[in-house]
Amino acid sequence: MTFFESLLALLLVAILLLQIARRIGLPYPAMLAIAGMAVAFVPGVAAIRLDPGTALALFIAPVLLDAAFDFPLVTAGRLWRPLVILIVGAVLATTAIVAWIGWAVAGLPIAAAIVLGAIVAPPDAAAATAVIGALALPRTTVSVLKGESLLNDATALLLFSGALAFQMAEGSPGAIGLHVAIAVPGGILLGVVLSWPVRWIQRFAGKTLGANLLQFVTAWVIWLIADHLDLSAVLAVVAFAVTAAHSPNAGSSPRMRVHSFAVWAAVVFLLNVTAFLVMGMQARSILERLPGDGIWPALRFSGLVVLAVIATRFVVVMAWGQVARRSRSARGALSPPTIGQSVLVGWCGMRGLVTLATAFALPATFPQRDLVVLTAFSVVLATLVGQGLTLAPLIRWLGLDRMENPADEMWAARTRLVNVALDELRSHPQAEDLARLFEAKRDKHDRPELLDWIKGQHSAGLAVVSAQRAELARLLNGEEVGIDSFYVLQEELDWRELTLLPEEERRIAET
């Protein structure tokens, strides 16, 4: 089988697994991990080798842009304490412990061991959010998990690039330290600066298929520019997305937003499928290269790393939860986390796309590369399947799905929006009877004088939607609705506005 045939087969399997996962309440990344590993045992599947730099840009840049564009800054500001513990503390602790295991057990050089630790350190919240999105969980817990997934990649990839450069004799410790000191603020500055010309360019591609394509190209170009300038590509993409999302006149049209969300969801799913397929191919080639007496020692070492990764995160999260419950200064204005919330966050440590991509990015001459890559794959598989499949039962056992009811939040928000709509309609006397609008649309060809009346109705409707959007933004900024509820309500307003716009503004042009 060629790579294209293998990808097509796995895509069909992935679509089937997605339907199964949706019906039985399992996270689809766990199902993809199982399917990807099954590829390792399918005879005739073609092998593929990715350029190291291409792997990181291809898989990580679009996912980061998508997540960062949607993450509210007000949430990050409110949750900075637990986020710092997870983004810095948990990542550094995991890297250090795994590095010690790699050095003491596998005999890896210390820099290579740090590279392994950085590869397996950052959790990917895709599997967690695939489960928690269908359950009623405390909003703070969900926001912490999503914020961590966005920002911990920067910490891990900075460690990865620095240790990799030192291992491959590309710089002294002092030079690498200076590089990191420049890469962090430089990457952020680059992302902020590039957001301005990119938004100017996007104005000319608006309401076309090219606008969606430009979003993906932008993510990859920013990553590559930062990489060529030896700056943090992760922080450049994140800073660009956050700046673009929160700058004046950043909002896109409802039609483009509805179209873009659907396209991005499909492409991110495709990237995950491709990554797990490549993982299976490389895992098979690694197992074929290992001598017969070397397979079990490699698997034992991988198992030890898996246990260390899971245990380290759990200990760090539980320790911070204990401190936060005892000390007001440790948690700030946040409510003290319950033991159940700490257990859940500690267990939501599934590794995924970032770990796979960084493993692909290792050069062929890296010390014991096969062992390191196989260990990374083992961590992804064990955490996605072991933790991912037990996450929903754990949530129900802890009773966390009964702590808050998102339906109450949505009802309160919709009530506020309806009240705003009624207030706005009082200033539009033409909007008394919606039935007349449908009659007028039916009769407008025979009675041209109805066109002005229809325009007045549409104008009143658009004014209502505009007022509701302003109120929804105030609810989000005041943290009266969570980000997930915000996007549900925003989509409802988008569809409502689309029904009121002229026909030519409801289309996506091909050029």
Side-chain angles (χ1 to χ4, degrees):
M1 295 176 67
T2 65
F3 173 72
F4 176 72
E5 292 170 339
S6 302
L7 177 60
L8 183 61
L10 188 59
L11 274 174
L12 293 174
V13 173
I15 294 170
L16 175 62
L17 291 177
L18 183 61
Q19 305 311 310
I20 296 173
R22 184 168 59 88
R23 284 168 171 77
I24 63 179
L26 296 179
Y28 83 83
M31 307 291 278
L32 286 182
I34 296 173
M37 283 306 299
V39 172
F41 302 98
V42 176
V45 176
I48 183 173
R49 185 175 298 277
L50 289 176
D51 175 73
T54 301
L56 286 175
L58 174 63
F59 291 117
I60 298 179
V63 177
L64 278 178
L65 183 69
D66 184 38
F69 198 90
D70 296 338
F71 190 70
L73 287 178
V74 63
T75 300
R78 183 172 62 88
L79 301 174
W80 71 268
R81 288 175 176 86
L83 286 176
V84 167
I85 295 298
L86 292 171
I87 295 165
V88 179
V91 170
L92 291 179
T94 302
T95 301
I97 291 176
V98 171
W100 181 84
I101 294 173
W103 171 77
V105 177
L108 288 170
I110 189 62
I114 294 175
V115 169
L116 171 60
I119 288 174
V120 300
D124 184 347
T129 53
V131 174
I132 63 182
L135 298 173
L137 285 177
R139 189 195 308 164
T140 298
T141 304
V142 176
S143 298
V144 166
L145 290 172
K146 290 187 175 182
E148 174 202 12
S149 177
L150 170 63
L151 299 171
N152 61 15
D153 300 339
T155 304
L157 286 176
L158 282 172
L159 289 171
F160 172 82
S161 59
L164 182 62
F166 184 76
Q167 174 60 45
M168 305 308 291
E170 296 178 2
S172 64
I176 293 173
L178 179 61
H179 162 70
V180 172
I182 296 175
V184 171
I188 295 173
L189 179 62
L190 177 67
V192 172
V193 170
L194 289 179
S195 67
W196 298 102
V198 169
R199 286 205 317 278
W200 182 78
I201 295 172
Q202 287 175 334
R203 288 165 48 194
F204 296 96
K207 298 182 182 180
T208 68
L209 294 177
N212 278 329
L213 179 59
L214 181 61
Q215 292 170 352
F216 290 98
V217 172
T218 297
W220 288 316
V221 168
I222 292 175
W223 181 286
L224 294 176
I225 291 175
D227 187 59
H228 285 301
L229 294 176
D230 288 331
L231 303 176
S232 172
V234 172
L235 291 177
V237 173
V238 170
F240 165 81
V242 170
T243 304
H246 294 85
S247 59
N249 304 318
S252 59
S253 69
R255 188 66 188 90
M256 282 304 302
R257 195 157 45 238
V258 169
H259 190 263
S260 178
F261 281 6
V263 171
W264 274 86
V267 171
V268 169
F269 178 74
L270 176 61
L271 289 175
N272 273 278
V273 172
T274 306
F276 283 109
L277 172 61
V278 176
M279 178 189 78
M281 292 175 175
Q282 293 211 9
R284 186 184 64 177
S285 62
I286 289 172
L287 292 173
E288 289 174 350
R289 288 196 297 269
L290 286 174
D293 58 351
I295 294 179
W296 288 113
L299 293 179
R300 284 195 296 270
F301 173 75
S302 299
L304 184 61
V305 172
V306 169
L307 292 176
V309 165
I310 295 174
T312 302
R313 176 184 175 86
F314 200 81
V315 169
V316 170
V317 172
M318 294 301 293
W320 185 84
Q322 183 68 16
V323 172
R325 283 188 291 274
R326 293 176 177 271
S327 172
R328 177 65 182 268
S329 60
R331 66 176 188 269
L334 298 175
S335 300
T338 66
I339 295 177
Q341 287 176 291
S342 297
V343 170
L344 173 61
V345 174
W347 194 244
C348 286
M350 288 75 76
R351 271 58 176 177
L353 196 57
V354 174
T355 295
L356 294 179
T358 47
F360 298 154
L362 289 175
T365 56
F366 188 82
Q368 300 191 56
R369 183 184 189 276
D370 285 349
L371 177 64
V372 172
V373 173
L374 183 64
T375 301
F377 292 167
S378 300
V379 170
V380 171
L381 184 65
T383 55
L384 278 180
V385 176
Q387 293 179 296
L389 297 184
T390 57
L391 195 55
L394 177 66
I395 290 171
R396 296 188 180 96
W397 180 69
L398 293 171
L400 294 175
D401 57 336
R402 298 187 295 272
M403 289 184 64
E404 293 180 10
N405 188 0
D408 293 339
E409 176 183 289
M410 292 292 288
W411 178 84
R414 284 196 171 102
T415 300
R416 291 278 294 275
L417 296 183
V418 168
N419 290 334
V420 169
L422 293 174
D423 291 340
E424 184 66 30
L425 283 173
R426 292 189 182 98
S427 63
H428 292 270
Q430 289 182 314
E432 296 176 354
D433 188 359
L434 289 178
R436 293 177 58 196
L437 176 61
F438 290 98
E439 293 173 353
K441 287 183 176 181
R442 180 193 63 192
D443 301 334
K444 64 182 180 180
H445 293 293
D446 298 326
R447 299 173 57 190
E449 69 275 8
L450 291 175
L451 289 176
D452 290 337
W453 185 84
I454 292 174
K455 290 179 181 179
Q457 292 289 306
H458 286 176
S459 176
L462 292 172
V464 167
V465 172
S466 177
Q468 289 181 306
R469 288 192 190 281
E471 180 64 19
L472 183 58
R474 283 192 290 270
L475 291 175
L476 177 66
N477 293 332
E479 300 188 5
E480 296 181 57
V481 298
I483 189 65
D484 293 325
S485 297
F486 170 82
Y487 282 119
V488 170
L489 295 170
Q490 178 182 251
E491 185 178 22
E492 292 177 3
L493 293 177
D494 285 342
W495 284 112
R496 194 173 304 158
E497 183 172 340
L498 285 173
T499 64
L500 298 169
L501 291 172
E503 182 179 353
E504 61 273 10
E505 294 188 31
R506 298 198 299 263
R507 297 175 180 172
I508 296 293
E510 294 184 3
T511 57

